[in-house]
Amino acid sequence: MELYFLGTGAGMPARHRNVTSIVLNLLPERGSIWFFDCGEGTQHQILRSPVKLSKSEKLFVTHLHGDHIFGLPGLLSSRSYQGGDTPFTIYGPKGIKAYVDMSLQLSQVHLDYELAIREIPSEGGVVFEDESFRVEAAPLDHRIECFGYRIVEKDLPGKLQQEKLHELGITAGPLYGRLKQGQTVKLEDGRELHGSDFVGPSIKGRTVTILGDTKPCGNSALLAEGADVLVHEATFGAEREDLAGAYDHSTTEQAARTAAEGGVGTLIMTHISSRYQGEGAERLLEEARAIHPDSWLAEDFYSHAVPRRQS
């Protein structure tokens, strides 16, 4: 599991930062990648990255401001040309379906894959769940309806303790699979083996929280609680807290407090105003690390592997 940042700027493209798009690389876990937002120029950023558009499976939209969705029609079209023929699902606020449908209709784009669009109710909730992952959405505090997402990897089964089975004279075979599933099996000699006796403790899943644009709010804290990685906007430095509040954005210190108070592992700040470059960007990082030491400032093409935290 790895986060990859295609765009980390705020508002409009800049020379050193494109607008928002984040990839969650789940190739090892499920053979696919998920997008979070798709600002203008995202497909151009992909060309300069290791991201394989044909491997994309889902796209989660936080809100309908242009710097988060203007790259979407082009990305959907390019996916067909780059070999993407598997189903693709978009999740987002009310209005995302009308935007996508109208864009594809007017440009007469033909997609070679099944496209599904799921609009999220205003109160949020669980938007996706299967045997491996659950994705929850909750509304944030921004000028228009905006969501944050909490991606939860479900716990993995513990490892089969093969050495204990070897000591009992039991060699590898179909029996191992049944025991790993926790089943009770009866041997030909009458002995019963309980799977729970031969499987180690479960492996805790990881949690990644990705927030859309927001000023500090209760749902930011709820989505972030205990996350291994929190991706939080930090449009402004601490000196512009008033401006951040006026435009429903956050500062570095506010993002760091959300991380620290929520017991987050790593904070990654993004959606950075173009006014912060060089020493200005370094100062943003210093402000956050003064509150939450494990903080990082994302740049375009920055990647971060999501480790399993020790329990």
Side-chain angles (χ1 to χ4, degrees), residues 61-110:
V61 175
T62 62
H63 63 297
L64 303 185
H65 277 156
D67 58 321
H68 295 256
I69 64 167
F70 280 173
L72 186 47
L75 182 135
L76 293 175
S77 176
S78 293
R79 187 175 186 267
S80 283
Y81 293 114
Q82 295 186 24
D85 56 6
T86 54
F88 188 81
T89 305
I90 299 172
Y91 304 82
K94 184 177 180 181
I96 188 62
K97 187 176 190 317
Y99 171 72
V100 171
D101 286 348
M102 186 62 70
S103 298
L104 298 181
Q105 176 186 337
L106 292 177
S107 58
Q108 299 185 31
V109 170
H110 173 72

Side-chain angles (χ1 to χ4, degrees), residues 36-225:
F36 290 80
D37 286 336
C38 187
E40 176 185 353
T42 291
Q43 61 177 319
H44 293 276
Q45 296 290 88
I46 290 173
L47 295 175
R48 301 170 59 196
S49 79
V51 173
K52 302 296 185 184
L53 186 53
S54 61
K55 295 292 186 180
S56 59
E57 178 190 11
K58 299 180 182 296
L59 189 152
F60 298 85
V61 175
T62 62
H63 63 297
L64 303 185
H65 277 156
D67 58 321
H68 295 256
I69 64 167
F70 280 173
L72 186 47
L75 182 135
L76 293 175
S77 176
S78 293
R79 187 175 186 267
S80 283
Y81 293 114
Q82 295 186 24
D85 56 6
T86 54
F88 188 81
T89 305
I90 299 172
Y91 304 82
K94 184 177 180 181
I96 188 62
K97 187 176 190 317
Y99 171 72
V100 171
D101 286 348
M102 186 62 70
S103 298
L104 298 181
Q105 176 186 337
L106 292 177
S107 58
Q108 299 185 31
V109 170
H110 173 72
L111 303 181
D112 294 327
Y113 55 88
E114 177 185 345
L115 176 65
I117 303 175
R118 315 288 188 209
E119 293 192 333
I120 302 170
S122 58
E123 68 274 14
V126 176
V127 299
F128 170 76
E129 185 168 18
D130 65 5
E131 67 280 358
S132 302
F133 286 89
R134 182 177 71 256
V135 181
E136 306 165 10
L140 303 175
D141 192 349
H142 194 48
R143 285 178 289 164
I144 63 173
E145 185 171 64
C146 183
F147 291 100
Y149 294 99
R150 181 179 174 92
I151 305 95
V152 180
E153 179 188 32
K154 296 184 178 180
D155 293 350
L156 301 174
K159 294 183 178 180
L160 185 67
Q161 299 172 336
Q162 298 184 25
E163 65 282 356
K164 293 178 65 175
L165 292 168
H166 289 161
E167 291 173 2
L168 296 175
I170 302 169
T171 57
L175 184 65
Y176 275 30
R178 295 172 60 191
L179 289 170
K180 186 171 176 61
Q181 294 172 9
Q183 297 180 20
T184 298
V185 299
K186 190 169 185 178
L187 304 180
E188 292 182 359
D189 61 11
R191 288 181 295 168
E192 281 193 350
L193 302 180
H194 303 284
S196 58
D197 295 333
F198 300 94
V199 177
S202 60
I203 301 170
K204 184 172 178 54
R206 293 159 288 184
T207 297
V208 174
T209 297
I210 300 175
L211 302 182
D213 295 3
T214 187
K215 60 184 179 183
C217 65
N219 280 340
S220 293
L222 289 174
L223 289 170
E225 185 175 0

